[in-house]
Amino acid sequence: MFQLYQSSMYAQHCVGGLGGLLQPAWADIVTAGWADATREVTVSAIQRSVAHAISSLQARPLSQVRRYELESRTRISSVDILVAVGQARVVVEVDGPTHYAANSTFKRLGPNNLRDGLLRQQGYQVLALPYYEWQKLPTNKDNNLTAEGLKKFEAWLLAAADGKQLW
């Protein structure tokens, strides 16, 4: 159901509105199915960790990180974290192991690339954060990022706010 929804969103927003990719009755069913499937969300430990880091950045003097929402909804998708960085709206998608091909740690699956493209088309900047990059950041005994880890993560957020894709 989600793939049909994504395909219709792609046709509508990225290919100049191909018109009715799905018959109206099916479009309503697919959209309702997507809404039901994304209504109840599970926040992973790594998503909580990223949100905590964003909260830490937000509290720093002169930080460009203004505010954030955990498990936010855009017009076309639910997103892990939506952050205001300066004037940019940055979607942070924490891509865990299930976002990658089983036979390759670093090969993202197509639906993730489509999701990111749709979000960019709607005016969002996207930080698709691989779990293996997050795990490399230095943490303290409480498993929170150290000052060095926060500095590196902030650089990633600022790069994403400028439209740069890091991985």
Side-chain angles (χ1 to χ4, degrees):
M1 189 76 65
F2 186 71
Q3 289 170 333
L4 282 172
Y5 178 78
Q6 267 193 327
S7 297
S8 68
M9 290 294 101
Y10 179 76
Q12 184 178 354
H13 296 286
C14 297
V15 189
L18 286 177
L21 183 65
L22 298 172
Q23 295 294 327
W26 277 104
D28 292 344
I29 291 169
V30 167
T31 301
W34 171 80
D36 286 343
T38 60
R39 186 170 291 125
E40 304 242 352
V41 295
T42 302
V43 179
S44 70
I46 194 169
Q47 287 171 323
R48 276 192 259 294
S49 180
V50 172
H52 183 270
I54 292 169
S55 180
S56 297
L57 289 173
Q58 189 178 6
R60 293 169 73 181
L62 305 176
S63 175
Q64 291 189 48
V65 177
R66 304 276 183 249
R67 65 183 183 287
Y68 75 97
E69 296 173 28
L70 187 60
E71 285 302 328
S72 185
R73 288 178 75 95
T74 67
R75 208 176 67 159
I76 59 169
S77 181
S78 63
V79 298
D80 292 343
I81 305 169
L82 180 58
V83 188
V85 180
Q87 297 300 312
R89 297 177 303 163
V90 178
V91 169
V92 179
E93 280 293 333
V94 182
D95 289 343
T98 61
H99 293 254
Y100 297 88
N103 61 350
S104 172
T105 305
F106 306 113
K107 178 83 170 139
R108 291 177 81 219
L109 297 175
N112 302 306
N113 297 327
L114 181 56
R115 170 203 68 203
D116 296 352
L118 286 168
L119 289 166
R120 285 186 184 98
Q121 185 69 22
Q122 294 298 305
Y124 296 94
Q125 302 298 339
V126 179
L127 174 59
L129 180 58
Y131 71 97
Y132 53 86
E133 292 294 337
W134 181 257
Q135 291 171 340
K136 290 178 188 175
L137 294 175
T139 58
N140 60 25
K141 63 181 171 75
D142 296 326
N143 212 25
N144 296 320
L145 293 183
T146 62
E148 178 187 347
L150 277 173
K151 184 176 180 180
K152 190 166 191 174
F153 178 57
E154 184 174 35
W156 293 347
L157 276 174
L158 293 173
D162 285 339
K164 296 183 178 97
Q165 296 183 42
L166 302 173
W167 299 279

